[in-house]
């Protein structure tokens, strides 16, 4: 939930996930004229943004195995993924273009990683105060 | 009481009492730990996948529309 209204820097509260406070961010994703509001995890350790399968379908994307050319590893190893571009709106910030690996699994949360969410925004975590702060890249 | 004061007394314990003391401390430590034994913790972060990152950066640079639109 956004606490501030200023454009430059905005605060969001941590969200409890199975009893653990996690930095989930409310975000509006748009593909063409289809928009979905969801909650995405700010994951500074993730190299890329990841979109779960059903969310992509809800955004009007069509799965095509021949387009799944994004190699994933670790807990998503062997999971096919396709590269997609979406428009994202966070809080009161202007829309930004985000590239996602659209994974053919729902066993993953929507992840916001280094490419390219962390390239678009500067983020400070204040875990002890249970909020995080997002600013447009300077 | 400090640990140094306590250690001589601990050394005088019988083997069984030392085991009980050890188990007592182990249980105390487990309760103090933030990570609870037996609880499942989900790791969200995929392992680093640089090839995927490069492909997504190329996609951003091209700025082309998605080729996986609904037919």
């Amino acid at each position: 939930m956004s606490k501030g209204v200023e454009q430059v820097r905005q605060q969001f509260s941590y969200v409890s996930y199975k009893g653990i406070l996690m930095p989930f961010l409310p975000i509006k994703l748009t593909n063409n004229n289809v928009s979905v509001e969801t909650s995405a995890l700010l994951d500074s350790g993730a190299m890329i943004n990841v979109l779960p399968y059903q969310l992509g379908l809800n955004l009007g994307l069509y799965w095509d195995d021949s387009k799944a050319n994004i190699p994933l590893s670790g807990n998503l190893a062997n999971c096919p993924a396709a590269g997609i571009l979406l428009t994202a709106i966070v809080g009161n910030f202007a829309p930004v273009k985000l590239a996602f690996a659209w994974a053919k699994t729902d066993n993953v949360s929507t992840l916001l990683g280094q490419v390219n969410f962390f390239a678009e925004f500067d983020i400070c975590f204040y875990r002890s105060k249970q909020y995080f702060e997002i600013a447009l890249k300077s | 009481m400090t640990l140094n004061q306590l250690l001589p007394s601990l050394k005088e314990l019988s083997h069984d009492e030392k085991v009980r003391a050890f188990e007592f401390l182990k249980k105390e430590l487990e309760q103090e730990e933030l990570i609870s034994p037996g609880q499942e913790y989900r790791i969200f972060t995929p392992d680093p996948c640089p090839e995927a990152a490069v492909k997504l950066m190329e996609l951003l640079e091209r700025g082309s529309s998605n080729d996986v639109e609904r037919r």
Side-chain angles (χ1 to χ4, degrees):
Chain A
M1 188 67 70
S2 176
K3 290 180 177 175
V5 293
E6 70 273 24
Q7 295 293 318
V8 177
R9 186 176 297 275
Q10 294 176 47
Q11 292 180 3
F12 299 86
S13 299
Y14 272 74
V15 174
S16 178
Y17 177 89
K18 295 184 179 179
I20 308 284
L21 291 176
M22 299 288 286
F24 277 96
L25 174 70
I27 190 170
K28 184 178 181 181
L29 300 173
T30 300
N31 174 51
N32 293 331
N33 296 320
V34 183
S35 295
V36 172
E37 292 187 7
T38 188
S39 185
L41 180 67
L42 287 173
D43 190 346
S44 63
M47 272 193 170
I48 55 173
N49 303 322
V50 178
L51 189 76
Y53 183 64
Q54 186 59 50
L55 192 52
L57 295 181
N58 295 347
L59 283 162
L61 298 170
Y62 175 83
W63 183 264
D64 182 344
D65 280 323
S66 68
K67 306 292 185 188
N69 61 352
I70 304 292
L72 301 178
S73 58
N75 55 353
L76 291 178
N78 302 319
C79 176
I84 57 162
L85 284 179
L86 299 175
T87 302
I89 296 179
V90 174
N92 296 321
F93 293 121
V96 294
K97 278 284 183 193
L98 295 182
F100 283 85
W102 180 29
K104 197 177 183 183
T105 177
D106 286 315
N107 192 25
V108 65
S109 295
T110 304
L111 301 180
L112 299 173
Q114 297 295 333
V115 176
N116 66 325
F117 188 86
F118 281 73
E120 294 293 330
F121 295 98
D122 294 324
I123 301 143
C124 289
F125 296 95
Y126 301 92
R127 177 60 163 70
S128 65
K129 297 180 175 63
Q130 301 187 11
Y131 75 89
F132 51 94
E133 210 166 60
I134 296 183
L136 284 174
K137 64 182 177 184
S138 51
Chain B
M1 179 177 283
T2 66
L3 179 61
N4 283 339
Q5 292 170 321
L6 188 61
L7 282 176
S9 301
L10 285 173
K11 283 190 174 182
E12 290 179 13
L13 294 176
S14 68
H15 178 80
D16 285 348
E17 285 175 319
K18 285 176 181 171
V19 170
R20 284 171 57 195
F22 169 77
E23 287 175 345
F24 167 78
L25 287 173
K26 183 170 178 281
K27 191 173 180 181
E28 284 283 299
L29 286 169
E30 285 175 349
Q31 288 174 350
E32 289 172 12
E33 292 286 344
L34 288 173
I35 305 293
S36 305
Q39 185 174 338
E40 183 178 305
Y41 294 95
R42 186 175 180 188
I43 305 300
F44 290 90
T45 307
D47 278 2
C49 31
E51 289 176 35
V54 168
K55 283 184 179 290
L56 290 187
M57 284 190 285
E58 290 171 352
L59 184 63
L60 279 165
E61 286 171 9
R62 286 202 309 272
S64 56
S65 59
N66 298 319
D67 51 8
V68 286
E69 301 296 342
R70 179 167 287 161
R71 288 173 181 167

